[in-house]
Amino acid sequence: MATATVAHHDETAHEHHEHHDNFITKYIFTQDHKMIGKQFLITGMFWAIIGGFLSILFRLQLGFPEMDLSFLRPLLGGWIDEAGKLDPTFYLALVTMHGTIMVFFVLTAGLSGTFSNYLIPLQIGARDMASGFMNMLSYWFFFVSGVIMFISLFIKTGPAGGGWVVYPPLSALEQAIPGSGLGMTLWLIAMTFFIASSLLGGINYITTVINLRTKGMSFSRLPLTIWAFFLTAVIGLLSFPVLFAAALLLVFDRSFGTSFYLSDIYIGGEALPNTGGSPVLYQHLFWFLGHPEVYIVLLPALGITSEVIATNSRKPIFGYKAMIISMLGITILSFIVWAHHMFVSGMNPFLGSIFMFLTLIIAVPSAVKVFNYLTTLWRGNLIFTPAMLFSIGLVSFFISGGLTGIFLGNSAIDIQLHDTYFVVAHFHLVMGSASFFGLMAGVYHWFPKMFGRMMDARLGYVHFWLTFVGVYLVFFPMHYIGIAGFPRRYYNWTNFEFTNMYTDLNMFVSVAAIITFAAQFIFIFNFFYSMYRGRKATLNPWRSNTLEWTTPLKPGHGNWPGEIPTVYRWPYDYSKPGAAEDFIPQTVPLSATPESNLPHEQEMVKLEMEIMKEESDVLVANESKH
């Protein structure tokens, strides 16, 4: 590990002091990155319950199409008709809102918003984010976005109903379906606020990582969590503005009579005046965010998994540099594969073959990550904490969901599988469930740092096994019905002979989904109970090496009461031959561990001693002045 001159913040500029905040400034309009991270987490948990509940409603329709749903009328009102059947347009709205909520509000804001905020300053050795005010704004833009989206659930014409991708012309014409009316307008406004939130957060994360690392924290000593959050912010900063452009043009088409996406459309036999537009333009703009969004969701989960697996294997992460290079590769490639979502849009087959080639290439850095996780686990001193189990579960989903991605990345096969349940099964495993498991691993692992108490491990194990088995029981059968041609977004499929044979399988999937959703309330109980009644945590319960465990049990605003620690080594010195303990924190100088130093580290000791002597001389000089 080469030494590097690292940008670190001036102690005098960020002199630590305890803030005497009132309730409003401490818990609501806070600028403390730790509290903002908790705000993102709890808001994300609220939206996960809403999004999950919506999926249960449409799974009831899919699994039991002849069921009398009158018992839901007190909740859904007029969307359940006199015969006890769900309104078909509301079914589309349920699917649309479930996708939007889970992808953006839970797996983007809930995952990246929570852990980027909470961990970046703590793991790089910073007092706070580069701009606490921008950080606060980032959360409140997200909150306003959520309020608008929540209101849209209750309006008379129903929420947006064009699928979570809101393709025009369906989404551009208010007269098309009820879900293209006011609900779609509110969806677009909410997403505008959400994009602003993501951009504010991303700018802050990037600036903080580049400029506020503590002394000794070179880029080659950053934990893989920070690399993941940093690259996620870069992806978001470059791709979310394109979604904003797509949404803005859609607003113009809906409200100002333009024709960016509309041309040659007839409704009820009447020709609309719009000419010259192309709905395929929207697809290009949307998927230019939409595919990087997969990695905006996945990379933070993979970063968390890297940290949890290394800590609980008591081994250095295998291939640290390869992990960084693979994440850099994913970051670059994520921007040049978007059209694999559009193989059936009539694109030139030659262009399709280029995107197919690039899509299959992105499997290489993903496979590197999987290989490195497995080799880190291999012959490790494994400690099966709930966080470790969820991390291993992520690796499992990443493999099984990633393999089906090779099918869908092939344009010839995708033409057959496009818009079937095979696609639903693929992305729910590789993106949805894998990222959700990364989120869960992060919560179980850093809960002691967040709240000073431990979550109940037994409840964590029950939560893991019910969720892990449940996810596979929900999404594995979908591959089979997808290959048979079972289409997505169909409200009722009992009219078709080729889909009717899957009645029992659909019922099975729906029952598994209900049980899996119910299992999440074990986590909800464990989370809030442990926050107040859990066993008190020790300073470093997982015997981990990273900087956040050097702060007090409940760090105040500013994180460290005295000077920020200096970093002397990388974060993965676990089970080092010759060392007295099976972990050596980043703050331990190489000169303090001569018995375990490698040859190149021994050479660095002399340089380290000179730096420490210089620091000591400066300290003495400053004291003599005073």
Side-chain angles (χ1 to χ4, degrees):
M1 286 164 287
T3 54
T5 305
V6 183
H8 62 282
H9 46 306
D10 184 2
E11 279 294 329
T12 56
H14 281 275
E15 186 125 64
H16 173 59
H17 58 280
E18 280 297 329
H19 287 234
H20 296 289
D21 294 328
N22 57 36
F23 181 84
I24 299 291
T25 57
K26 185 173 182 180
Y27 294 107
I28 300 175
F29 297 111
T30 179
Q31 294 188 28
D32 181 358
H33 70 98
K34 298 182 294 299
M35 188 56 68
I36 291 170
K38 293 175 192 176
Q39 288 175 329
F40 270 105
L41 176 60
I42 290 172
T43 310
M45 285 166 61
F46 167 80
W47 278 113
I49 294 168
I50 299 291
F53 179 67
L54 297 181
S55 72
I56 296 306
L57 292 178
F58 64 71
R59 274 313 320 177
L60 283 174
Q61 170 63 33
L62 286 167
F64 310 95
E66 305 305 325
M67 179 190 275
D68 184 345
L69 298 176
S70 299
F71 66 94
L72 289 173
R73 194 173 290 124
L75 182 67
L76 300 182
W79 298 115
I80 303 290
D81 65 19
E82 293 303 317
K85 301 299 179 194
L86 187 70
D87 186 283
T89 58
F90 191 65
Y91 174 85
L92 283 179
L94 289 173
V95 174
T96 302
M97 296 305 286
H98 167 74
T100 303
I101 287 166
M102 298 310 268
V103 170
F104 294 113
F105 288 7
V106 179
L107 295 177
T108 302
L111 176 53
S112 191
T114 297
F115 292 104
S116 294
N117 267 305
Y118 197 86
L119 291 179
I120 286 176
L122 285 171
Q123 289 198 334
I124 68 170
R127 293 289 183 202
D128 208 313
M129 283 289 177
S131 170
F133 180 71
M134 274 176 62
N135 212 16
M136 178 186 75
L137 277 184
S138 171
Y139 173 73
W140 284 104
F141 270 112
F142 167 51
F143 186 83
V144 170
S145 167
V147 169
I148 295 168
M149 198 70 82
F150 191 70
I151 289 169
S152 79
L153 293 170
F154 300 97
I155 60 175
K156 188 176 180 182
T157 53
W164 79 276
V165 293
V166 296
Y167 281 172
L170 185 64
S171 61
L173 301 170
E174 295 193 20
Q175 64 269 46
I177 55 170
S180 292
L182 177 59
M184 185 62 68
T185 302
L186 291 174
W187 189 95
L188 289 164
I189 295 169
M191 287 308 298
T192 303
F193 277 100
F194 181 83
I195 292 164
S197 162
S198 297
L199 294 177
L200 285 167
I203 292 167
N204 225 353
Y205 306 151
I206 293 167
T207 308
T208 305
V209 172
I210 291 174
N211 292 320
L212 298 187
R213 287 167 289 130
T214 189
K215 189 167 186 178
M217 182 63 84
S218 62
F219 271 94
S220 62
R221 290 174 175 171
L222 285 177
L224 289 171
T225 38
I226 303 301
W227 272 105
F229 301 148
F230 176 71
L231 293 172
T232 299
V234 170
I235 296 173
L237 204 60
L238 295 174
S239 60
F240 268 113
V242 181
L243 178 65
F244 177 73
L248 190 64
L249 299 185
L250 187 54
V251 169
F252 284 167
D253 276 12
R254 286 172 56 82
S255 306
F256 301 109
T258 57
S259 301
F260 290 107
Y261 305 134
L262 301 174
S263 186
D264 307 316
I265 293 174
Y266 292 80
I267 292 187
E270 179 190 346
L272 298 186
N274 307 82
T275 57
S278 170
V280 177
L281 168 63
Y282 177 88
Q283 292 192 32
H284 280 292
L285 293 173
F286 180 87
W287 288 114
F288 192 82
L289 161 93
H291 200 78
E293 172 65 21
V294 170
Y295 296 102
I296 289 171
V297 164
L298 255 177
L299 279 179
L302 294 172
I304 287 166
T305 296
S306 300
E307 182 65 29
V308 172
I309 284 181
T311 301
N312 291 292
S313 297
R314 311 315 291 169
K315 275 177 68 179
I317 193 79
F318 185 90
Y320 174 79
K321 286 181 180 174
M323 292 291 248
I324 295 169
I325 292 166
S326 67
M327 284 194 284
L328 285 166
I330 286 170
T331 300
I332 295 163
L333 288 167
S334 71
F335 284 101
I336 50 176
V337 295
W338 79 88
H340 67 217
H341 297 270
M342 301 167 56
F343 285 143
V344 296
S345 66
M347 67 160 50
N348 186 312
F350 177 70
L351 188 61
S353 67
I354 292 171
F355 278 102
M356 180 182 83
F357 175 68
L358 292 169
T359 299
L360 297 178
I361 283 178
I362 207 169
V364 175
S366 302
V368 168
K369 294 193 77 63
V370 167
F371 175 79
N372 287 2
Y373 289 139
L374 296 178
T375 41
T376 303
L377 290 166
W378 177 251
R379 302 187 73 177
N381 253 341
L382 304 185
I383 304 168
F384 290 110
T385 63
M388 181 65 155
L389 289 175
F390 275 101
S391 294
I392 295 170
L394 178 149
V395 176
S396 171
F397 294 147
F398 199 52
I399 294 169
S400 53
L403 287 173
T404 56
I406 297 171
F407 289 68
L408 295 171
N410 186 313
S411 55
I413 300 174
D414 181 71
I415 287 166
Q416 304 302 317
L417 296 176
H418 188 84
D419 262 350
T420 69
Y421 265 79
F422 192 91
V423 178
V424 177
H426 159 70
F427 75 76
H428 274 88
L429 277 180
V430 78
M431 184 184 87
S433 302
S435 301
F436 178 75
F437 269 47
L439 172 61
M440 289 293 109
V443 172
Y444 279 106
H445 189 74
W446 280 287
F447 188 90
K449 180 48 58 184
M450 288 181 176
F451 300 106
R453 293 179 182 272
M454 305 293 286
M455 291 184 78
D456 187 286
R458 290 164 301 178
L459 288 177
Y461 295 139
V462 175
H463 174 221
F464 167 77
W465 284 111
L466 284 175
T467 308
F468 181 72
V469 174
V471 164
Y472 269 126
L473 292 180
V474 170
F475 298 116
F476 224 80
M478 286 187 187
H479 292 93
Y480 296 103
I481 60 176
I483 290 171
F486 198 98
R488 294 173 71 179
R489 303 192 181 103
Y490 271 43
Y491 158 79
N492 194 331
W493 38 266
T494 51
N495 301 328
F496 306 100
E497 191 177 336
F498 83 100
T499 54
N500 228 353
M501 68 178 81
Y502 295 108
T503 304
D504 292 344
L505 206 51
N506 260 306
M507 195 182 300
F508 176 81
V509 167
S510 292
V511 171
I514 292 166
I515 293 169
T516 308
F517 177 67
Q520 305 319 302
F521 289 94
I522 298 171
F523 168 76
I524 299 289
F525 169 78
N526 194 0
F527 183 89
F528 287 104
Y529 180 84
S530 300
M531 194 187 294
Y532 298 103
R533 297 289 183 88
R535 180 167 53 86
K536 285 192 176 177
T538 55
L539 272 179
N540 189 358
W542 315 122
R543 294 160 63 80
S544 192
N545 290 340
T546 42
L547 285 181
E548 73 270 27
W549 305 105
T550 64
T551 62
L553 190 59
K554 289 188 177 179
H557 195 166
N559 298 335
W560 286 269
E563 277 192 28
I564 296 175
T566 301
V567 166
Y568 298 97
R569 58 179 76 229
W570 77 324
Y572 299 109
D573 269 342
Y574 291 107
S575 301
K576 207 170 178 186
E581 298 256 21
D582 71 346
F583 73 110
I584 308 174
Q586 285 187 281
T587 53
V588 175
L590 292 168
S591 55
T593 57
E595 68 284 351
S596 63
N597 288 344
L598 299 172
H600 74 277
E601 291 173 329
Q602 206 60 46
E603 292 169 14
M604 291 166 60
V605 169
K606 190 177 177 184
L607 179 62
E608 184 186 280
M609 297 292 281
E610 288 173 6
I611 294 169
M612 290 168 73
K613 186 176 184 306
E614 284 176 19
E615 287 177 349
S616 176
D617 292 343
V618 170
L619 194 63
V620 169
N622 287 340
E623 284 178 357
S624 63
K625 283 180 186 176
H626 293 297

